[in-house]
Amino acid sequence: MHALDQARLRALFVNVSQRERAAIPMPGIPDPDWANLEYLGWRDAKRPRAGYLVAEVDGEPVGIVLAQVEQPPRARPQCAWCDDVTLPNDVVGFSARRAGAAGKRGDSVGTLACARFECSVNVRRQPTIAYVGFDVHAAVERRIRSLAEHVEAFARAVRDGR
């Protein structure tokens, strides 16, 4: 991900009105490690069910406002973005209103994701060696690429309103 300042960050959100965009709290991360982030995600301390995501779609950053769904999953869910079954953190359901006319009609997209958006850290954890000759570095690289693809697909679905 490329570095973004707060003014640029705020302008990226595609599924909110101008008034809602102005009210988005900026992340409290002093200096994110942009090179090791496939997306930037944060939660709102004043609105615990709100979440914010900035991801690259076709090489351009896109911001999305998320809402944590009310109903918790019945079983331990798997994050749809980092695909990790041994997560040390909670996974919750999020929905995002689609951008444009579709969002104004009430259309939305849902996903299961790490509650505190820890996916970039999760995919970089060294996996257990599955067999003799297992390439740990290649496995981590595959997980990083997969995370970027999953998040981009979700962001594209919201941005394009289809």
Side-chain angles (χ1 to χ4, degrees):
M1 207 156 160
H2 300 291
L4 300 165
D5 63 23
Q6 288 195 1
R8 172 95 166 105
L9 200 58
R10 188 176 302 280
L12 297 174
F13 287 86
V14 297
N15 65 337
V16 293
S17 68
Q18 291 286 4
R19 185 178 56 59
E20 292 169 319
R21 184 178 293 128
I24 294 172
M26 291 295 99
I29 306 167
D31 189 20
D33 182 6
W34 295 103
N36 287 318
L37 287 177
E38 284 61 49
Y39 68 89
L40 179 63
W42 69 97
R43 299 297 295 262
D44 188 340
K46 293 181 182 174
R47 293 180 35 224
R49 294 209 174 275
Y52 307 94
L53 167 75
V54 175
E56 288 189 355
V57 178
D58 301 325
E60 292 295 320
V62 173
I64 297 170
V65 174
L66 303 164
Q68 183 178 331
V69 297
E70 295 283 331
Q71 185 66 33
R74 293 179 189 247
R76 174 104 170 116
Q78 176 179 330
C79 177
W81 294 348
C82 60
D83 290 331
D84 197 330
V85 295
T86 60
L87 290 175
N89 50 273
D90 290 333
V91 173
V92 297
F94 284 107
S95 68
R97 186 173 62 210
R98 291 185 190 268
K104 289 177 182 168
R105 287 192 310 268
D107 290 355
S108 63
V109 179
T111 191
L112 291 170
C114 293
R116 298 279 169 213
F117 305 109
E118 304 99 328
C119 298
S120 290
V121 173
N122 293 339
V123 297
R124 286 173 171 77
R125 280 186 300 135
Q126 186 171 357
T128 57
I129 297 176
Y131 51 85
V132 174
F134 181 72
D135 188 345
V136 172
H137 179 70
V140 169
E141 290 302 314
R142 264 193 312 279
R143 290 171 51 165
I144 291 169
R145 276 193 314 276
S146 178
L147 169 59
E149 290 167 2
H150 291 156
V151 173
E152 182 175 4
F154 176 79
R156 180 178 281 112
V158 173
R159 181 197 71 182
D160 294 350
R162 320 185 219 139

